[in-house]
Amino acid sequence: MSTGTQIEVVMPQMGVSVSEGTITKWLKQPGDPVARDEPLLEISTDKVDTEVPSPGEGVLAEILVQEGETVEVGTVIARIGAAGAPAAPAPATPEPVAEAPAPVAAEMPPVAPPAAEPEPPTAPPAPVQPEPVPAAPSGNGKTFVSPVVARIAAEHGVDPAVVPGTGTGGRVTKKDILAYIASRAHAAAPPEAPAETPPPEAPPSPVAPPPAQAPPAAVAPAPVAPTPPPPGTAEAAPGETLEPMNAMRRGIAEHMRRSLDTAAHVTSAIEVDMSRVVALRQKLKPVFERDHGVNLTYLAFVARAVVETLKDYPWINGEIRGEQIVTRRFVNLGFAVELADGKGLIVPVLRNAETLNLLGIAKGIADLAQRAREKKLLPDEVQGGTFTITNPGGYGTFHGTPIISQPQSAILGTYALVKRPWVVQDELGNDVIAIRPIMNLTLTYDHRLVDGALAGRFLRDLRERLETWDETSY
Amino acid sequence: MAELTYIQAISEGLRQEMRRDPRVFVLGEDVGVYGGAFKVTLGFQEEFGAWRVIDTPLSETAIVGGATGAALMGLRPVAEMQFADFVSCAWDQLVTVAAKQFFRARTPIPIVLRLPSGGGFSGGPFHSQNPESSFAHIPGLKVVCPATPEDAKGLLATSIEDPNPVLFFEHKHLYRRIKAQVPDERYTIPFGQARVHRPGDDAVVVTWGAMVHTAAEAAERLAAEGTEIEVLDLRTLIPWDEERVLESVRRTSKVLVLHEDTRTGGFGAEIAATIAEKAFEDLDAPIVRVAAPDTPVPFSPPLEKAFIPQVEDVVDALRKLVAY
């Protein structure tokens, strides 16, 4: 299988913590010429959407992962051939072999689908597993895996131990594993009408793979597809519609669940008289607008006060890492931004917020929020937060219990600013009722690290700052 | 086109360069009246005169030092070492002066040292060495090792054009043993472009100089057994075609590096290290080196045969590599 003249296109690593990506659009089709660095496709990860440039020049030979499919970082998603090379016909439907849970197939015996489960619309896992036992290698039964075999095995989710080896001492050679993968892909190819194929009723007896001489060039390598729940296993009841979860939604779902499984969430709330902030904002807003083109929001005031208060509460800006407590001399402030389509939320991070004054924070938030809505954030701008502010109050809600963004220790909720009758003291010390703009703030914190009293003091100090806001001190 | 031996191609190439560029001249021991130890410059003095074909004293230091000075003054000297082995006498002029001049003063030193090298004729320890790796290690020098008549002529023209000191290793064993069709007109071959001497996908032999032909013969024998070996001729060591080597490694995943120079610190070590650094995940077997043992070149014919890698040695190593 000579692929010497072909360039493999792999799912790129977009940021440190991103492990998979979804192909949203192919900008080139098989047969199209591509230049090096020319946009080849668009991908979406749970953090960002971006274009992927072509790693080389030539003709797009074949697309291995179709639009809408999600694969791990590093998976080969297309091949670019030399100019003039014939393009392989693109499969009309999503690559069927992608449905087979390739990485586990070698270890697990196939299980017949539960009777109640509707038949999957695509081919069931191909009955090539379990793998044939290879001829026992000589010697101690262990076989050395060469670097290239290790790499191919990882790329294709194959356990080298199940591949019959023809090298010295039964070693699996590169040719062996390529022939094995070719034969497996060949065996896994579904018949023309998959819907009519009966599902396997019982674990089939081990089937030897077809001869290794199967023409390798004709077989598309099986992409690694450890995609969690395969789309297509759910079915709509009458009146329901189905839509696939995008990468961002799956990321949110996974993160929310993991956070609740990790932290001991407790929420405390406090009411803040925002009279001074309201007055100051009224005064500064036109100035900021005129001189800096920045819209001064209440969020900027709250953020500035939060950053200042966090200096006295390092654990609330900290994290539990293993058995250690991490504290920092900096604040990377995350704030939740709803996407324009209302179908997701992203948390850009304002780095080193402790170095910024009110104007700097207002500018930073405006810039990140704008780019978040346009999906133009860079991967590193959504990572590394140490504390997060979320604002569910935009629609009038006065209380909430947000979920902490892991691995942080707390998240502040800001709520609707409402005029309320408020008991204040007049100049004689008598209680009177006044009309004041009140905002509720909540601190949801990880009770493993942050005690209730600590959270209470943090909220008290934060309120103090906001209620005594002095133009000259920020 | 004419069928020329390797040495005729060098001679003709040199003559063409001297005819087209009056700055080009040759100097060396017995290059004039006698026509050179191997007769490369036979008839040159008659054609170009004693001032362009200079017989020098027996001093390699003087030859290389004089060539360096002439280059500084705008000439294009082609200096002959009678045997490549003798270049060690000129080490200081070459390595300390010529190689570093451009770095120090931005004045180029366009000299070519013709270095008849290699064994196979019982020349013994002073007339058979392949000292290319010593100079490949020196920043500022280029190292050229042609394996065919076409390459010898084209690479010589490129060497004379090059603004740097170029060490042109001519393999003596090839001088009159190989013949090929060589274009009549002048042509150049760019440095740093390897040449596929023989295609194959089962393993690649990376080599240069006379060993290209040893590798090719070994590959022919293995072809009879159904194994296709690529023979890649580097042509130039500085610069060397790393990209083309890595391409072959990615395709074949099995590499044999072959050279006639001794093993330790040979240029094959540099190639093997680069492959390990840049194509580790493409290797299906350890990189194999076949080279001369770490001794001086022996006089005795059977010992010299045991010393220089032979076709059988390469066949054996390739069989093991392919089976690995």
Side-chain angles (χ1 to χ4, degrees):
Chain A
M1 180 185 273
S2 172
T3 55
T5 55
Q6 291 204 321
I7 302 165
E8 292 185 339
V9 182
V10 300
M11 177 61 68
Q13 176 86 44
M14 303 298 295
V16 184
S17 70
V18 179
S19 61
E20 62 181 23
T22 303
I23 291 171
T24 45
K25 186 170 190 198
W26 282 102
L27 303 173
K28 299 281 177 188
Q29 295 306 316
D32 289 353
V34 286
R36 187 180 178 86
D37 294 332
E38 188 182 1
L40 187 58
L41 70 154
E42 292 173 1
I43 61 165
S44 154
T45 71
D46 56 355
K47 302 280 192 193
V48 283
D49 295 344
T50 189
E51 282 179 350
V52 177
S54 171
E57 186 177 352
V59 170
L60 183 58
E62 53 179 332
I63 287 176
L64 300 171
V65 180
Q66 301 299 315
E67 289 176 6
E69 289 185 43
T70 303
V71 292
E72 284 200 356
V73 166
T75 304
V76 178
I77 56 179
R79 287 181 214 281
I80 294 170
T93 51
E95 193 68 50
V97 286
E99 302 290 333
V104 293
E107 291 93 39
M108 295 171 69
V111 179
E117 193 169 300
E119 191 180 322
T122 47
V128 290
Q129 310 91 0
E131 303 300 341
V133 180
S138 63
N140 59 9
K142 288 179 185 165
T143 173
F144 170 73
V145 178
S146 74
V148 73
V149 170
R151 179 170 61 73
I152 293 168
E155 282 170 4
H156 294 270
V158 172
D159 178 1
V162 304
V163 179
T166 63
T168 306
R171 189 184 75 89
V172 176
T173 66
K174 179 184 176 186
K175 284 179 185 173
D176 292 336
I177 195 164
L178 288 176
Y180 176 83
I181 288 163
S183 67
R184 192 183 65 167
H186 186 68
E192 281 298 303
E196 287 164 22
T197 313
E201 294 109 41
S205 54
V207 183
Q213 299 91 308
V219 182
V224 182
T227 314
T233 51
E235 241 181 51
E240 296 175 336
T241 53
L242 290 177
E243 65 176 306
M245 268 196 193
N246 63 18
M248 173 179 281
R249 178 55 50 194
R250 286 214 321 275
I252 292 173
E254 183 277 333
H255 187 184
M256 292 301 102
R257 184 66 255 162
R258 180 160 52 84
S259 184
L260 278 177
D261 289 344
T262 303
H265 282 71
V266 178
T267 299
S268 299
I270 202 163
E271 299 167 302
V272 182
D273 178 350
M274 296 283 276
S275 300
R276 278 170 168 269
V277 171
V278 170
L280 197 57
R281 177 170 175 264
Q282 262 174 358
K283 186 179 157 196
L284 290 178
K285 195 170 158 56
V287 180
F288 275 40
E289 187 77 55
R290 187 191 65 217
D291 293 351
H292 307 289
V294 174
N295 177 24
L296 182 59
T297 60
Y298 289 112
L299 176 61
F301 285 91
V302 174
R304 181 72 193 89
V306 161
V307 169
E308 205 59 29
T309 309
L310 281 173
K311 288 178 183 169
D312 300 326
Y313 296 91
W315 284 11
I316 295 178
N317 187 44
E319 103 185 39
I320 294 178
R321 194 179 296 163
E323 301 278 304
Q324 314 275 341
I325 296 166
V326 180
T327 55
R328 293 136 170 144
R329 282 175 297 182
F330 58 89
V331 179
N332 289 344
L333 191 65
F335 55 98
V337 177
E338 189 188 17
L339 294 186
D341 61 4
K343 282 187 175 175
L345 176 124
I346 196 158
V347 185
V349 174
L350 188 62
R351 290 185 177 265
N352 291 99
E354 81 285 357
T355 65
L356 301 173
N357 62 10
L358 183 64
L359 173 62
I361 286 192
K363 272 181 143 172
I365 289 175
D367 167 54
L368 287 169
Q370 163 102 8
R371 287 191 291 123
R373 290 194 191 96
E374 292 168 359
K375 297 189 170 186
K376 286 187 175 156
L377 291 172
L378 304 173
D380 286 339
E381 289 176 329
V382 292
Q383 293 172 6
T386 62
F387 185 87
T388 300
I389 299 178
T390 180
N391 175 29
Y395 305 108
T397 58
F398 70 94
H399 184 69
T401 58
I403 291 177
I404 297 165
S405 177
Q406 288 304 318
Q408 298 166 25
S409 288
I411 182 168
L412 187 89
T414 68
Y415 300 90
L417 189 67
V418 226
K419 285 181 182 163
R420 299 216 328 237
W422 203 245
V423 177
V424 296
Q425 290 186 327
D426 64 13
E427 57 274 20
L428 300 173
N430 298 318
D431 289 348
V432 294
I433 293 178
I435 299 168
R436 289 293 169 91
I438 303 298
M439 180 186 276
N440 281 9
L441 298 178
T442 59
L443 185 75
T444 299
Y445 49 96
D446 186 346
H447 217 339
R448 293 179 305 163
L449 179 59
V450 179
D451 296 332
L454 189 72
R457 290 202 293 277
F458 173 85
L459 285 170
R460 178 200 64 194
D461 289 0
L462 181 61
R463 177 176 67 181
E464 183 73 13
R465 276 204 163 75
L466 289 166
E467 290 187 347
T468 61
W469 194 288
D470 179 349
E471 188 179 351
T472 59
S473 55
Y474 292 93
Chain B
M1 283 284 210
E3 189 172 70
L4 300 182
T5 62
Y6 183 89
I7 194 166
Q8 284 168 341
I10 293 170
S11 188
E12 186 190 298
L14 185 54
R15 188 180 285 112
Q16 269 182 4
E17 294 308 303
M18 290 184 71
R19 282 176 182 166
R20 72 182 280 277
D21 186 348
R23 297 173 304 168
V24 180
F25 73 101
V26 300
L27 71 168
E29 293 157 10
D30 287 333
V31 295
V33 176
Y34 186 67
F38 297 95
K39 306 293 179 194
V40 168
T41 52
L42 190 65
F44 274 44
Q45 215 174 44
E46 286 82 344
E47 179 173 354
F48 300 106
W51 279 108
R52 290 185 71 193
V53 189
I54 301 172
D55 278 322
T56 67
L58 297 188
S59 168
E60 281 72 20
T61 298
I63 294 169
V64 176
T68 302
L72 273 174
M73 299 315 292
L75 298 179
R76 299 260 160 174
V78 178
E80 181 182 295
M81 300 287 105
Q82 226 164 42
F83 287 83
D85 312 62
F86 305 163
V87 71
S88 55
C89 298
W91 179 270
D92 195 46
Q93 286 300 318
L94 184 58
V95 170
T96 311
V97 181
K100 294 172 177 62
Q101 181 66 22
F102 184 74
F103 179 80
R104 292 170 64 224
R106 286 288 178 273
T107 43
I109 304 291
I111 62 174
V112 177
L113 261 56
R114 288 187 37 246
L115 301 162
S117 58
F121 59 101
S122 295
F126 308 133
H127 298 85
S128 307
Q129 296 175 84
N130 293 277
E132 65 263 14
S133 74
S134 299
F135 298 98
H137 185 65
I138 306 297
L141 302 179
K142 294 195 175 177
V143 176
V144 178
C145 302
T148 67
E150 310 92 290
D151 280 4
K153 182 177 170 185
L155 287 170
L156 183 63
T158 311
S159 300
I160 292 171
E161 259 182 10
D162 197 278
N164 299 283
V166 177
L167 281 75
F168 190 85
F169 285 91
E170 315 168 356
H171 203 289
K172 298 189 292 290
H173 191 69
L174 301 179
Y175 268 165
R176 294 178 174 85
R177 270 187 188 77
I178 56 166
K179 279 186 183 179
Q181 291 294 324
V182 177
D184 298 329
E185 70 281 5
R186 176 182 190 268
Y187 59 98
T188 57
I189 292 172
F191 288 174
Q193 284 191 9
R195 182 181 63 91
V196 179
H197 190 77
R198 184 190 189 287
D201 280 331
D202 291 321
V204 59
V205 179
V206 181
T207 188
W208 57 90
M211 286 293 118
V212 169
H213 304 281
T214 305
E217 210 178 316
E220 288 307 322
R221 287 207 207 160
L222 284 171
E225 300 169 13
T227 303
E228 292 301 332
I229 307 292
E230 178 175 295
V231 176
L232 197 59
D233 173 12
L234 285 186
R235 291 166 147 180
T236 61
L237 299 190
I238 304 293
W240 68 284
D241 196 347
E242 184 179 307
E243 208 166 295
R244 186 58 187 74
V245 170
L246 292 176
E247 191 279 314
S248 291
V249 174
R250 291 192 194 99
R251 183 160 36 81
T252 64
S253 294
K254 293 184 174 180
V255 197
L256 186 148
V257 186
L258 170 66
H259 56 69
E260 187 181 317
D261 187 14
T262 51
R263 179 184 177 90
T264 299
F267 199 72
E270 178 64 29
I271 295 166
T274 304
I275 292 168
E277 274 177 357
K278 302 198 173 169
F280 179 74
E281 292 192 9
D282 288 293
L283 288 173
D284 199 25
I287 303 161
V288 178
R289 279 185 292 163
V290 175
D294 293 330
T295 76
V297 187
F299 276 114
S300 137
L303 285 183
E304 190 190 37
K305 198 178 170 201
F307 173 88
I308 296 175
Q310 303 293 315
V311 173
E312 295 73 32
D313 303 326
V314 180
V315 166
D316 287 350
L318 280 172
R319 277 209 189 103
K320 279 187 200 139
L321 179 63
V322 168
Y324 181 85

